[in-house]
Amino acid sequence: MRQVLYALVPTVVLHVVFFGPGLLIQIVLGVATALLAEAAALRLRGKPLPPFLLDGSAIITAVLLALCLPPLAPWWLIVSGVAFAILLAKHLFGGLGANPFNPAMVGYAVLLVSFPMRLLQWLPPNVAGIELADLSAMETLTTILTGAPPARFTWDAITSPTPLDALRTNLSLGMTMGEAHASAMFSAFGGKGWEWINLATLAGGIWLLALRIIRWHIPVAMLSALFVCASIMAAADPGAYAGPLFHLTSGASMLGAFFIATDPVSAATSDRGRLIYGAGIGVLTYVIRTWGGYPDGVAFAVLIMNLAVPLIDRYTIPRIYGHAR
Amino acid sequence: MATSRVRGGLRLNAHKERSTEHALRPATAVESLVLPLDQHAGAPAVPLVKRGDRVLRGQPLAGPGGAISAWLHSPVSGTISAIEPRPAPHRLGAPALSIVVSNDGRDERHAAPSPTGFEQMAPEQLRDAIDRGGIVGLGGAVFPTAAKLRSAAAATSLRLLLNGAECEPYISCDDMLMRERARDIVFGARVLLHALAAQSCVIAIEDDTVQAAASLEAALSEAHDERIRLRRVASIYPAGGEKQLITTIFGVEVPHDGLPANVGVACLNVGTAAAVAQWIRDAQPLTRRIVTVTGDGVREQRNLEVPLGTSLGALIYDCGGYTGRMARLIMGGSMMGQALPHDDMPVIKATNCVIAASAVDLQPRGPEMPCIRCGNCSVACPAMLLPQQLHWYAQARDLAALETHGLMDCIECGCCDYVCPSQIPLVERFRDMKPALAAQLAARTAADAARARFDARTGRLERIESERSAVLARKRQELAKKSS
Amino acid sequence: MLPALLTMVGLAAAAGLAAALAARRPAADEQRLVDEIDALLPQTQCGRCTFSGCRPYAAALARGEADINQCPPGGDATAAALARLLGREPQPVDPRFGLVPAQPAVAWIDESACIGCVKCIQACPVDAIVGASRFMHTVIAAQCTGCELCIPPCPVDCIVMRPAQA
């Protein structure tokens, strides 16, 4: 599990470069909550604290959730999300190895459904050509801890939608893809800032593949399915549907493919099952992003496919040596 | 349906360098030998001698106790000092009825039957002759060789496979046998080819046993028998598992409910072939075998030729005794071996290796954590199972699911155990559940038999009843005709 | 609001209809159902279920004329398996039909007392007793299902149940 955290370092670094130090504070809050919640749950269940407490699973849940939340989100957002993820999505189902749903995604889904406006308040990326409100590190900290922006700003002045969010809004306003893409936050194929973060995540994911910590089936299946769906729709109507490269480099595509969907506990069991599972997540991500009610579909796609895992497992038992099929 | 390449498996550190440094030598003679009567698969042997009898080396001490059983011969000349239960290694120290021979040191041999040229014998006669040598599978399964040959010979176009792919770490007895007694193996191959009426033989070895390969090549070119070939397989554990080796060499899979004979293969260990040679050619029945003594807990790591019945303690003493680091005594290799509670147990036909393990040899096991379904185990499994699912259902004692997921197909090789990041003792769990599942499957077979008998009886009674009514009806008709 | 409501109701109705259809069995498969039920029964052929054998009980279950808790030799495991197959509420075995045997048992004839009357041979539903009139009778233990039907007919009470050998 430590290797997974190391592999997330490039993502975190680039995230801070483009969106400021807010993420680091969210991570600190999230990890602290995760360890406290995990310790409390282990104590209540009568399990020994070592080796469970520092096995890394709770920390990863916290870091992944922190990466999904806006950098300036108030402290109680990450705290409640992580607490929900650890206590209800993980320990209530039996703890490590027994959760049918991805705990980080359950936490995110709960927050998204309960506080939708808060989760859409992202920051503009720190790139040339975009005007952003310059918060100092101290101001970032106070914003997070108090839930209110510094006196000289309003929320509208600081925040900005993500590329996925902006695209969806613009398309619903009747713009074509070309017009929507003309905004300063978009670059050649993706959203500025986000494409680099996704590439960094891809690098981390390839690192994990090389170390054989994850296997290729889920990431390749998910990204291929997303690519194919986006290609088909964009070829049919390029004005109304974003292209495959945009989808692969925006939102949580790479994070989902290599770090979220690959959570082995909630994923399918056999290789063939994992291909179906990954492909299902890819398709659902595209569907939710394009026609669903939320800008990014990875979280719900993962949760829906988690539901389907027992069915997938039942029908993808691999052939055993010496049996006909 | 079949794959020609075995999936899974592990590349392991062989740990065989120390034990193969020295040439083979005979073990030092001991005063008392303990021979368990059930040291082979099948029915235990039945004693032919009693306490106080004088016996000679090579004399039969016990005869077959059933259709699948084996002869047992005396390794030394001496006296039968007892026939009583003694701690046995294949029962992990629990007692087994054993013949105890006290060695008189004179090594007087039993008058051997004059060897008839085996090629003049009919295959069936040759199989019977092999039976009387007490030969059993020396690869570890100790299945009576004659019974195996008899059941395999029924198949047509049989291919002989001699298994020299000694894949488990620490064990090197077959390697030494192939280096020093290659001629015996080749002779044994020729005898077995005749006994099976088979046309071809492959001797399989791992690709890292260079000296053994050279030795076998020399013996093969000397024998000028084109039916016998040498093939190398990648040294991946468990390349020498019978099913895995058959698939690697011949590209067919042994059906789960069948035997190698069903795919036209008879697979025997190279040690078994050498034992057959020594019996058929030299009239020496199976009374000795090569045993690897290894591990950081013994002074001298080497292979010896050991008379059956020698105590493991005496064997270790023969190799310089224990070092101060000795922690655990293991019979077998490092993957599938079993720990023994003490060393006052005899070498039996199944004893291929004894590891006097120290902390250096034993990998410490961390605390058992829950399964995180990482799938490393299913990647490593050579039987193509899903050990994580077997573990899940074993915890739930869900026999139906265990059957669907192939618990009985597990060969207990230990690959899954080895790669599990949560340190779960998977093979132990599976071993725990197999008897319950086997009992359920046996109950199902018995129920099917009972159903057949019930249906047959019901049919018989109905038939008798309908015949009776037909006879009565005819009689009534005749009466009616007569009276009219 | 209304379209959303109609969509949800429509989806729920469609899912419910699909589930109900999937749970039905076509009438022509009745024979296969009897076979499937019979495969779950232990084939003791003892008659404690009030039917004359396992197959008649299976047929009655298929027709809905019997309940799943009538088989003591099968125990609670068989009752649970029948409940799963037939989609009924699981129940433990009803003690009115007999006690679930603690361990498998087979019949054993005390040959010193046997008078060779063949009454037990006629009673055995699986022909597991060998013998003939005025010849010694003996139970083939491997074939005995433990149904105990041979015990009442014996006029000299020379048959007892013994634990089966593993």
Side-chain angles (χ1 to χ4, degrees):
Chain A
M1 312 250 195
R2 259 182 306 134
Q3 289 294 339
V4 175
L5 288 170
Y6 298 157
L8 280 171
V9 165
T11 308
V12 169
V13 164
L14 281 185
H15 199 287
V16 170
V17 163
F18 286 111
F19 296 110
L23 173 67
L24 297 174
I25 302 169
Q26 302 286 352
I27 290 179
V28 167
L29 287 170
V31 170
T33 313
L35 290 175
L36 276 171
E38 181 96 349
L42 289 169
R43 195 48 75 67
L44 281 171
R45 291 178 61 206
K47 298 243 180 242
L49 284 184
F52 286 100
L53 190 59
L54 293 174
D55 66 10
S57 56
I59 298 175
I60 292 179
T61 302
V63 172
L64 288 174
L65 190 54
L67 280 166
C68 293
L69 297 180
L72 288 184
W75 62 273
W76 48 264
L77 208 62
I78 183 101
V79 167
S80 58
V82 168
F84 206 95
I86 300 290
L87 292 173
L88 272 78
K90 182 176 166 188
H91 280 281
L92 205 61
F93 283 96
L96 180 67
N99 45 289
F101 296 102
N102 188 312
M105 292 300 100
V106 170
Y108 181 80
V110 166
L111 293 178
L112 186 58
V113 165
S114 314
F115 311 108
M117 291 319 297
R118 289 283 186 181
L119 263 72
L120 293 175
Q121 286 170 340
W122 280 83
L123 293 176
N126 185 1
V127 292
I130 295 197
E131 207 186 286
L132 45 75
D134 206 0
L135 269 71
S136 69
M138 203 56 210
E139 286 175 322
T140 309
L141 183 63
T142 52
T143 309
I144 293 173
L145 290 180
T146 60
R152 56 198 175 93
F153 293 118
T154 62
W155 273 121
D156 281 338
I158 307 176
T159 61
S160 137
T162 62
L164 277 172
D165 192 11
L167 190 64
R168 150 192 238 92
T169 312
N170 290 343
L171 286 175
S172 69
L173 289 175
M175 287 191 215
T176 67
M177 191 61 60
E179 289 166 353
H181 260 80
S183 148
M185 68 159 62
F186 290 93
S187 73
F189 47 34
K192 282 189 187 149
W194 282 103
E195 48 194 18
W196 287 111
I197 294 176
N198 271 286
L199 281 175
T201 313
L202 176 64
I206 292 175
W207 168 250
L208 287 183
L209 278 175
L211 285 180
R212 306 229 176 144
I213 297 197
I214 58 174
R215 297 180 64 223
W216 61 268
H217 303 79
I218 296 175
V220 167
M222 177 184 163
L223 295 174
S224 310
L226 190 55
F227 188 94
V228 165
C229 288
S231 306
I232 293 174
M233 296 310 295
D237 187 353
Y241 298 104
L245 282 178
F246 175 79
H247 274 284
L248 285 182
T249 56
S250 49
S253 298
M254 290 295 170
L255 193 68
F258 289 98
F259 293 89
I260 298 176
T262 50
D263 167 40
V265 180
S266 49
T269 305
S270 62
D271 285 347
R272 210 161 8 127
R274 287 177 177 192
L275 288 173
I276 297 172
Y277 173 77
I281 294 177
V283 169
L284 283 170
T285 301
Y286 183 80
V287 165
I288 297 174
R289 279 181 181 176
T290 312
W291 296 292
Y294 296 98
D296 196 356
V298 173
F300 289 112
V302 168
L303 291 174
I304 293 173
M305 289 313 291
N306 285 156
L307 268 176
V309 159
L311 189 69
I312 295 175
D313 276 349
R314 190 181 143 142
Y315 287 105
T316 56
I317 301 176
R319 186 185 72 83
I320 299 170
Y321 178 98
H323 289 250
R325 53 179 170 79
Chain B
M1 162 190 145
T3 58
S4 58
R5 190 181 60 82
V6 176
R7 300 225 240 110
L10 301 167
R11 277 201 188 275
L12 297 175
N13 196 340
H15 293 284
K16 305 191 196 207
E17 306 81 26
R18 298 278 309 274
S19 60
T20 51
E21 275 172 359
H22 308 279
L24 277 177
R25 71 159 165 84
T28 309
V30 293
E31 278 179 12
S32 174
L33 299 158
V34 176
L35 303 161
L37 289 165
D38 64 348
Q39 60 179 280
H40 49 260
V46 173
L48 300 167
V49 295
K50 56 185 192 307
R51 187 160 169 266
D53 283 358
R54 174 125 206 290
V55 293
L56 302 173
R57 173 172 162 173
Q59 176 177 338
L61 296 179
I68 297 184
S69 189
W71 290 82
L72 187 61
H73 301 79
S74 180
V76 293
S77 61
T79 323
I80 306 294
S81 54
I83 301 181
E84 63 188 14
R86 287 291 187 98
H90 56 298
R91 306 252 193 118
L92 301 181
L97 189 62
S98 310
I99 296 180
V100 185
V101 184
S102 90
N103 189 356
D104 65 10
R106 303 216 289 262
D107 200 29
E108 284 177 34
R109 307 230 176 170
H110 181 63
S114 50
T116 325
F118 72 90
E119 276 149 333
Q120 277 78 51
M121 296 166 92
E124 201 185 309
Q125 270 184 296
L126 185 53
R127 296 194 285 268
D128 289 342
I130 290 173
D131 192 2
R132 286 192 297 277
I135 317 280
V136 299
L138 295 181
V142 287
F143 191 82
T145 303
K148 188 178 217 174
L149 296 175
R150 283 179 191 128
S151 87
T156 51
S157 62
L158 212 53
R159 296 163 286 190
L160 179 62
L161 176 60
L162 290 186
N163 188 347
E166 196 170 41
C167 52
E168 196 171 350
Y170 287 90
I171 310 178
S172 56
C173 54
D174 288 348
D175 188 1
M176 294 308 295
L177 179 76
M178 290 187 287
R179 291 186 199 191
E180 300 195 14
R181 309 260 177 96
R183 285 204 191 94
D184 287 355
I185 296 173
V186 172
F187 189 91
R190 292 175 51 217
V191 173
L192 290 167
L193 279 169
H194 189 69
L196 288 166
Q199 304 310 316
S200 66
C201 169
V202 171
I203 306 179
I205 59 169
E206 290 199 316
D207 56 14
D208 58 356
T209 50
V210 176
Q211 284 170 285
S215 192
L216 281 167
E217 297 274 21
L220 282 173
S221 64
E222 196 184 284
H224 291 303
D225 194 331
E226 275 162 21
R227 299 174 298 170
I228 312 174
R229 297 182 339 265
L230 187 66
R231 284 251 333 243
R232 290 163 178 76
V233 298
S235 56
I236 299 177
Y237 177 79
E242 183 180 70
K243 293 184 173 180
Q244 282 63 42
L245 192 63
I246 291 175
T247 302
T248 309
I249 299 284
F250 296 115
V252 293
E253 280 187 13
V254 179
H256 72 281
D257 52 357
L259 295 167
N262 294 122
V263 288
V265 178
C267 181
L268 292 113
N269 182 268
V270 286
T272 314
V276 166
Q278 290 184 332
W279 168 238
I280 298 294
R281 185 189 61 201
D282 311 328
Q284 289 194 50
L286 179 57
T287 57
R288 278 150 178 73
R289 68 156 297 152
I290 300 177
V291 179
T292 307
V293 180
T294 183
D296 185 45
V298 66
R299 289 241 150 72
E300 197 186 315
Q301 300 187 39
R302 65 174 312 135
N303 280 273
L304 301 103
E305 189 167 37
V306 185
L308 299 174
T310 308
S311 89
L312 295 173
L315 191 59
I316 304 271
Y317 183 74
D318 198 3
C319 293
Y322 294 108
T323 65
R325 302 179 293 282
M326 157 71 182
R328 197 186 299 169
L329 193 64
I330 297 171
M331 180 169 86
S334 62
M335 296 296 284
M336 296 178 71
Q338 306 256 33
L340 296 176
H342 57 81
D343 63 11
D344 186 17
M345 281 186 264
V347 166
I348 53 175
K349 294 179 180 179
T351 309
N352 49 7
C353 178
V354 171
I355 308 178
S358 77
V360 165
D361 303 300
L362 298 166
Q363 280 183 327
R365 198 159 200 127
E368 183 184 336
M369 297 285 279
C371 168
I372 58 170
R373 310 182 66 74
C374 66
N376 284 358
C377 51
S378 53
V379 172
C381 178
M384 296 150 68
L385 299 169
L386 293 173
Q388 67 268 57
Q389 296 292 66
L390 291 176
H391 172 62
W392 188 264
Y393 295 124
Q395 283 182 312
R397 305 194 79 83
D398 185 345
L399 294 178
L402 284 170
E403 190 188 344
T404 313
H405 284 81
L407 177 65
M408 303 311 283
D409 292 295
C410 166
I411 62 173
E412 299 181 19
C413 66
C415 286
C416 54
D417 231 289
Y418 192 85
V419 298
C420 178
S422 295
Q423 309 284 323
I424 302 173
L426 290 163
V427 176
E428 223 174 87
R429 299 283 145 77
F430 302 157
R431 278 202 187 122
D432 270 347
M433 293 308 297
K434 276 188 181 180
L437 182 56
Q440 195 189 63
L441 295 173
R444 194 184 298 158
T445 311
D448 289 342
R451 184 185 298 116
R453 293 178 78 87
F454 178 74
D455 289 342
R457 178 173 178 270
T458 312
R460 185 182 78 235
L461 292 175
E462 281 171 5
R463 191 172 34 92
I464 292 173
E465 190 50 44
S466 67
E467 279 172 5
R468 239 170 55 98
S469 357
V471 165
L472 281 172
R474 218 182 21 250
K475 285 219 170 106
R476 257 181 246 118
Q477 261 190 338
E478 282 169 9
L479 270 173
K481 257 197 239 154
K482 273 193 191 151
S483 57
S484 65
Chain C
M1 175 64 174
L2 190 59
L5 195 61
L6 287 175
T7 310
M8 289 307 297
V9 171
L11 279 174
L17 190 63
L21 287 173
R24 261 186 17 187
R25 282 175 178 278
D29 268 320
E30 164 113 8
Q31 186 51 44
R32 216 178 60 173
L33 177 64
V34 175
D35 287 339
E36 281 180 25
I37 297 173
D38 192 38
L40 293 175
L41 297 174
Q43 305 304 315
T44 311
Q45 318 290 359
C46 61
R48 271 171 240 173
C49 52
T50 75
F51 297 91
S52 55
C54 296
R55 186 159 274 271
Y57 177 45
L61 276 171
R63 289 193 303 270
E65 290 165 7
D67 205 351
I68 54 161
N69 60 350
Q70 300 180 209
C71 179
D76 294 337
T78 300
L82 288 171
R84 245 199 319 275
L85 177 68
L86 298 169
R88 300 194 203 171
E89 207 47 49
Q91 302 170 55
V93 173
D94 188 338
R96 284 182 303 145
F97 295 97
L99 291 173
V100 176
Q103 56 186 349
V106 295
W108 177 80
I109 291 173
D110 180 358
E111 295 182 5
S112 61
C114 174
I115 60 172
C117 70
V118 302
K119 290 207 164 70
C120 61
I121 292 179
Q122 289 163 349
C124 177
V126 291
D127 285 340
I129 306 182
V130 292
S133 180
R134 290 188 284 132
F135 280 78
M136 184 59 66
H137 302 343
T138 193
V139 175
I140 307 173
Q143 305 287 356
C144 172
T145 64
C147 72
E148 301 187 19
L149 286 174
C150 53
I151 297 184
C154 176
V156 295
D157 263 333
C158 73
I159 309 184
V160 293
M161 300 304 291
R162 280 179 162 185
Q165 301 264 329

